[in-house]
Amino acid sequence: MFIYIFKFIINMLIEYIQGIYSSDITESLHHEIYKKYNIDIVINCTQLHGFVDLSIKKVRIPVSNDLNYHTDIQILQKNLPTLLEFIYNNFVYHNILIVCETGQTISPIIIALFMVKYGNIKLSDIKKILKSKNDDISIELDLSIFRI
């Protein structure tokens, strides 16, 4: 039991890139992580879940965890250029937390697309790179549909 609790505490947030973190929506509501990780921007990729009640920059991309092609993917495609540019313009001076319902799908997809666009990483390599940080991610989507 002690090992499980210790693992839970360590894995509250996953840092994929220096200053860019991911978590599930439940963890994102814990005030202490914002101070511990110096997070001052949160991007909430859920439709209905709220934000932590702190004075930080808050952005919502309203997609469901189902990633429905006709709704959620369209919302992501429409907002992706602005979102990726926003992350790029802020991640050097601000720590950013990107949250989705599970922390295993939409958040890692956004981080993957950011890394492909601004890190010049090949789409064919990105899932392997992200899995090296968090083996529990679930990116089943063909990321080439985003044409970045």
Side-chain angles (χ1 to χ4, degrees):
M1 180 72 171
F2 178 73
I3 294 171
Y4 174 74
I5 292 171
F6 183 71
K7 182 178 183 213
F8 173 74
I9 292 170
I10 289 175
N11 289 326
M12 284 179 63
L13 300 182
I14 303 295
E15 184 175 33
Y16 289 97
I17 304 170
Q18 185 174 351
I20 299 180
Y21 299 87
S22 174
S23 81
D24 65 37
I25 192 66
T26 303
E27 292 303 320
S28 76
L29 298 175
H30 294 191
H31 289 203
E32 65 274 3
I33 65 172
Y34 292 85
K35 184 174 183 179
K36 180 178 180 178
Y37 297 99
N38 205 21
I39 293 168
D40 46 11
I41 297 174
V42 63
I43 299 170
N44 182 330
C45 302
T46 69
Q47 292 175 324
L48 303 174
H49 295 284
F51 288 90
V52 67
D53 62 343
L54 294 172
S55 293
I56 60 173
K57 177 82 173 168
K58 300 169 185 169
V59 176
R60 180 179 301 276
I61 304 296
V63 294
S64 74
N65 216 41
D66 298 334
L67 284 174
N68 179 290
Y69 185 78
H70 299 290
T71 56
D72 302 313
I73 299 299
Q74 302 303 319
I75 290 169
L76 274 177
Q77 285 177 324
K78 177 182 175 191
N79 290 290
L80 199 59
T82 303
L83 178 61
L84 295 181
E85 184 176 344
F86 174 79
I87 295 169
Y88 180 76
N89 289 334
N90 285 282
F91 87 103
V92 171
Y93 300 107
H94 303 280
N95 287 353
I96 300 171
L97 175 61
I98 304 173
V99 302
C100 61
E101 287 192 38
T102 65
Q104 307 303 321
T105 53
I106 299 164
S107 303
I109 287 171
I110 290 170
I111 293 167
L113 295 170
F114 176 80
M115 292 171 71
V116 168
K117 180 169 183 163
Y118 292 105
N120 295 319
I121 297 172
K122 295 178 185 176
L123 274 175
S124 58
D125 296 333
I126 198 66
K127 290 179 187 178
K128 183 176 166 183
I129 292 168
L130 292 182
K131 285 235 179 225
S132 74
K133 297 282 189 170
N134 180 5
D135 195 44
D136 294 330
I137 64 168
S138 178
I139 301 178
E140 305 303 324
L141 190 64
D142 177 5
L143 298 179
S144 68
I145 65 171
F146 293 103
R147 294 179 230 112
I148 59 166

